[in-house]
Amino acid sequence: MVIDKLKPLRSKWLKTKVILKNDLIKPYIPDTQRYNKTNLRSMIKKYGMVYIKPESGTYGMGVIKAEMESEQNFAYQIEQKRLTFDSFESFYTSLARLVHKRSYLIQRGIHLLKHNNRRFDIRVMIQLSPKNKWEATGVIGRLGHPKKIVTNYHSGGKPMDVHELLKSHASSKRRNELVQEMNELSLRIARHMKKKYPHLKQIGVDIGLDRSLKPWIIEVNVKPDPYIFNQLKDKTMYRRVIQYYRHTAKKKI
């Protein structure tokens, strides 16, 4: 039987706690708390919008976007369904039925940049090279489905060239700087996490840019899908990602 030494890292809460210990990464992590009534009330009042996520979920499944529209009006959306409420109590009661007894987290909502009125975020791929050095091997934009709150490819998101998505938000020079900044941040995360989890070979860092172009770490994936890069017309990144992916799959590190 093969033991998955990265199994603990399926927990988004554990991954968040691990990277919060690095003072250079911490400023890029949105406020994240365990889901309960007290935390929900305080966070939605503080930020106006939060995401409620399963602690151990993939492909954006089960993610809920919750908003405070006024002092008494609240709303949430899951998949393409949006519900509104005229009190916090009715809002919370409805959410409680969805969440039930499963473990969820609440994360400060980031108002993501948009392209053609659709939200997008960015996936940065970090992998160990054949020389056993961390490298940023790929960066790709994920344009969300127009009626959904998540950007995942498996939930109808569209993989796109990062520069195309950022064209209306930043100059060519600024776009290159942003990609460099996101690569360096993601490399820092990989190096930090590997100290605690030496079997780590690759990570996919999901980054959201807010309206001031500040990068926010939405999630760190320890088993990122390398095949998303095949959706780009230019296959250069895909070839490198797959080369490194296959190398680390063969080799015990």
Side-chain angles (χ1 to χ4, degrees):
M1 185 176 73
V2 178
I3 298 169
D4 183 359
K5 294 185 171 69
L6 297 178
K7 190 176 179 181
L9 289 175
R10 288 180 190 169
S11 162
K12 295 180 176 73
W13 182 242
L14 177 63
K15 285 182 282 190
T16 301
K17 288 201 294 183
V18 169
I19 60 175
L20 273 170
K21 290 178 180 172
N22 186 302
D23 289 339
L24 295 175
I25 299 169
K26 193 174 179 178
Y28 299 93
I29 304 169
D31 185 6
T32 306
Q33 306 290 338
R34 281 209 175 276
Y35 176 87
N36 59 44
K37 189 175 184 178
T38 303
N39 287 345
L40 177 64
R41 192 196 299 270
S42 64
M43 286 183 72
I44 205 162
K45 285 193 173 183
K46 185 174 183 180
Y47 301 117
M49 189 260 283
V50 297
Y51 283 91
I52 301 165
K53 303 178 172 186
E55 184 178 340
S56 303
T58 55
Y59 305 142
M61 291 170 68
V63 174
I64 303 162
K65 179 184 180 183
E67 296 173 278
M68 182 176 176
E69 297 182 324
S70 69
E71 195 63 38
Q72 291 301 323
N73 293 346
F74 298 84
Y76 72 76
Q77 181 178 340
I78 181 166
E79 294 287 337
Q80 297 184 43
K81 182 180 177 184
R82 181 180 168 86
L83 298 172
T84 57
F85 304 87
D86 57 10
S87 72
F88 178 81
E89 289 301 326
S90 58
F91 166 71
Y92 175 75
T93 301
S94 181
L95 277 172
R97 288 191 207 104
L98 268 183
V99 171
H100 198 45
K101 293 180 180 177
R102 289 165 296 179
S103 180
Y104 272 68
L105 304 178
I106 310 171
Q107 187 178 74
R108 172 187 175 178
I110 304 302
H111 292 280
L112 298 177
L113 292 183
K114 291 183 178 181
H115 174 78
N116 292 339
N117 213 31
R118 291 162 65 177
R119 296 178 197 85
F120 68 86
D121 62 15
I122 293 154
R123 161 68 59 89
V124 180
M125 191 78 161
I126 306 293
Q127 296 171 286
L128 281 175
S129 74
K131 294 182 179 177
N132 209 28
K133 300 286 184 189
W134 285 114
E135 285 185 26
T137 51
V139 59
I140 191 168
R142 307 186 307 172
L143 184 65
H145 184 284
K147 293 181 180 177
K148 292 188 179 180
I149 55 170
V150 295
T151 59
N152 304 65
Y153 177 52
H154 298 273
S155 297
K158 182 183 178 185
M160 287 183 66
D161 178 83
V162 168
H163 288 272
E164 190 177 339
L165 289 174
L166 288 173
K167 197 178 286 182
S168 62
H169 300 284
S171 66
S172 176
K173 179 174 179 286
R174 184 73 182 107
R175 294 198 301 270
N176 287 326
E177 289 170 352
L178 278 168
V179 169
Q180 182 67 23
E181 185 180 352
M182 290 187 287
N183 283 346
E184 288 173 4
L185 174 61
S186 302
L187 283 164
R188 186 171 285 140
I189 293 167
R191 293 185 189 114
H192 174 75
M193 290 181 72
K194 192 165 176 70
K195 290 173 190 171
K196 188 170 176 64
Y197 297 95
H199 289 84
L200 198 64
K201 301 174 185 179
Q202 57 198 353
I203 61 169
V205 184
D206 295 338
I207 295 175
L209 294 170
D210 67 19
R211 290 159 190 166
S212 67
L213 300 182
K214 176 181 173 172
W216 292 92
I217 301 160
I218 296 170
E219 194 170 326
V220 178
N221 301 274
V222 296
K223 292 188 175 180
D225 177 8
Y227 298 100
I228 187 176
F229 291 92
N230 198 27
Q231 301 294 318
L232 296 175
K233 287 178 186 173
D234 184 339
K235 304 298 179 186
T236 310
M237 268 191 270
Y238 174 66
R239 285 194 287 267
R240 184 169 63 240
V241 166
I242 287 297
Q243 180 197 345
Y244 286 21
Y245 179 76
R246 288 175 178 160
H247 176 80
T248 53
K250 289 179 199 166
K251 189 177 175 184
K252 289 185 179 179
I253 295 173

